[in-house]
Amino acid sequence: MFCFNSPKNDDEKMQTIMVSVKNTLSYLHYSPKQINDAYSKDVYKHYFEMIDPGKRYFLQSDMDEFRKHETKLDDYLNLGDLTFYKLTVDRLYQRYDEIDKVTQDIFSKPINLQEDETLTLEAKVKDVPSNKQEQYNEWKKFIKYNILQEMESMNSKEAAQKEKKDSVQKYKLKDTIKLEILTQDQKLKKATDEVKDLVKESFTRFKKRKKMDWFSVYMNAYTEVFDPHTNYYSPKDKDDFDTQFKGKVIGIGAIIQEKKGNLFLGALTIGAPAWKSKQLSEGDKILKVKSSPKEDAVNVVGMLSDEAVRLIRGEKGTPVTLTVQKKDGTIKEVTMIREEVAIEDTFAKSITVSSQNGKKYGFISLPSFNADFEDAKGRNASDDIKNEIIKLKSQGIEGIILDLRNNGGGSLTEVGDIMGLFMNAGPYVQVKDGNGKIQTLKNKQETPVWTGPLVIMQNELSASASEILAGVMQDYGRAVILGSPQSFGKGTVQTFVDLNRFLNTEDDFGSLKLTIQKFYRITGESNQRKGIVSDIQMKDFFTYAEIGERYDDFALAWDKIPSAKFQKMTYFDVAALQKSSAARLAKNTNYQLLLESAEWREQLDKEETITLNINKFNELMKQRKAQIEKFKALTKYENGLNFTMFPAEIEREKKDEAFKKKSEVWMKNLKKDTYLQEAVNVIGEMKS
């Protein structure tokens, strides 16, 4: 049933992928859907939300033609029929060409910002353009809106520079600040040129995008209707996922940036091959890439950055040659040996924090539950956290704050290993498969590294493995959870299934990331949709936005299973901590102002239309600036905490400029963190 012969061309490849995806979904998904007309309608709706979310490209005549297929997408999936995919993608490329010419025509004529027009910002209340004239008018409005935004950006920069200059002159300091006051007409011209370039670049990128890339989007319309975490990954998408998950890449250690149709070197990683060559610099234009000595150099001028990145990446220890144009116009060929380059932003890091009463605590930031299953020496989150705890203990800390904010998850097994760093052995999660079989996963370690006070920070973007860890530590009573009223609410487990395992071929057909299980807290409650409710609840900018599993139409439902056997601890009095924190937060003027700012920003995001008349637009911006002035205190706020880096990191800063800059930004943000301030207050009151 799953076996196919090797496809001969792209069409056969796509057809094979479709049928293979359908079979894999039907037989292996945790909660398979019926492939019928109702499913087809959901896929149809989701597909157009993905390929034309702003309703700017397709006309009503296109949608009328497409609608004939609305209940046939289930049949197309069963048969591997590309009719609908080809029709929509060919039409999309046709519209790209037409609208590219339309925008050029709009820019060739004077832009009048005195007309009394409005632009609809919210796609849900918008109709598809009924004809080409209406589409022309919509694009004209869209361009005007972008020009007005660019002009407003110039006004803001001008005001900021003027404020700095006035301050310098007031205190009779050396004046090196350049202040250029432009007239409104000059700003209009400059903004129009800028937006013209941006629009031109976007269409250039659109047209370079291969049709197979759109096929991935098409397949994800099918998979994501099963549930939002079931996705089709093309081979290159899977490669990107693996790189992020492991936290390392084999390459030269340089960011590749696209600017006006050309590729340039961005920041170079200290110690990586590009930096060690001493011949490459940020801003060099990349002309050619030679992936190996046996291959010809490939001209990358006009290429998309992700395609060039794939030419540069390769096997560890192999050579790659870049031909670059330096800023002085000289051309250089630089050969480097590819190395393993760590993506440090995915790894745990820590710092000591001292409260105003002089008590010292450890702060650990964990961006992801990274793991490298292929390399026994590869980095993983639990080992990294263990090392950070040991470093912090050497500094004489009295408690640890573990920050899981914005951590979207990762490896499930890492949760048990991290739990074992803070407490003795015990169950940490229950997992149920599609057949209803329940398995309890247990941490078997009996040698915790830290047994003192522990606070875990979370927000609405803390998901999956983050929620398992926070939930189990809360259920045992081992940690206080501080942060948003509830976390993201992802209570499902995924695995990758390589599609070519079912095919008689050496080709790579990509993979399906497939939901195969749901996980449950040791109490038996699902994290799905509800997430983890914080002990100490602090609202933030995300609280007022529609973020979380509960807002997704296709998310699986919440349910409950029997509790696992576990022994609850009584480490601290949660009710007393809640009462004390609530009293503090009620008096915390910075926190109250932050909440007011968050509500105001969310109201702005919900505005469905905006004026395109420059006078009315400027008046609106003036009103918003007056409101923002009220929130300026938030940017000047400091929490009064003191942070100390480890001696080895202070030494590293002297040699590694990039590391130094990142550390400075991190510490600057920590000093402004209201939530961390309250975490320190809470941990200071925790008593065993």
Side-chain angles (χ1 to χ4, degrees), residues 670-681:
L670 290 177
K671 286 177 181 177
K672 293 180 174 295
D673 194 336
T674 302
Y675 303 88
L676 179 55
Q677 179 189 37
E678 185 56 20
V680 169
N681 289 333

Side-chain angles (χ1 to χ4, degrees), residues 473-523:
M473 300 305 261
Q474 186 181 59
D475 291 338
Y476 275 105
R478 174 64 187 92
V480 168
I481 313 302
L482 178 146
S484 59
Q486 70 176 78
S487 55
F488 189 85
K490 179 183 178 288
T492 55
V493 182
Q494 286 72 39
T495 191
F496 273 97
V497 178
D498 291 334
L499 296 182
N500 53 315
R501 69 188 268 192
F502 307 125
L503 306 171
N504 183 26
T505 177
E506 295 293 316
D507 290 344
D508 192 347
F509 286 80
S511 308
L512 201 61
K513 180 161 69 70
L514 191 72
T515 296
I516 54 164
Q517 297 166 323
K518 280 178 83 173
F519 60 75
Y520 299 80
R521 297 170 72 153
I522 53 176
T523 59

Side-chain angles (χ1 to χ4, degrees), residues 251-252 273 289-295 311-322 334-339:
I252 63 170
V289 176
K290 189 174 183 179
S291 293
S292 76
K294 294 179 182 178
E295 294 178 37
L311 290 173
I312 294 169
R313 288 181 189 171
E315 288 185 29
K316 187 176 179 178
T318 59
V320 58
T321 302
L322 263 60
V334 183
T335 300
M336 293 153 283
I337 302 299
R338 296 179 176 101
E339 292 179 10

Side-chain angles (χ1 to χ4, degrees), residues 34-44 70-71 74 225 554:
Q34 284 191 304
I35 310 293
N36 55 19
D37 288 358
Y39 170 72
S40 179
K41 285 183 177 181
D42 284 339
V43 173
Y44 179 90
E70 188 180 15
T71 58
D74 54 325
V225 169
F554 306 117

Side-chain angles (χ1 to χ4, degrees), residues 229-249 310 313 343 346 368-374 408-412 464 490 493-498 511-514:
H229 307 290
T230 292
N231 317 102
Y232 170 71
Y233 282 73
S234 68
K236 67 177 185 179
D237 292 337
K238 177 62 164 58
D239 185 48
D240 289 341
F241 180 91
D242 289 342
T243 296
Q244 198 65 31
F245 195 80
K246 293 173 188 174
K248 67 181 184 184
V249 62
R310 281 176 176 79
R313 288 181 189 171
I343 308 169
T346 65
S368 120
F369 287 77
N370 59 289
D372 189 343
F373 298 117
E374 294 172 10
S411 169
L412 187 64
S464 197
K490 179 183 178 288
V493 182
Q494 286 72 39
T495 191
F496 273 97
V497 178
D498 291 334
S511 308
L512 201 61
K513 180 161 69 70
L514 191 72

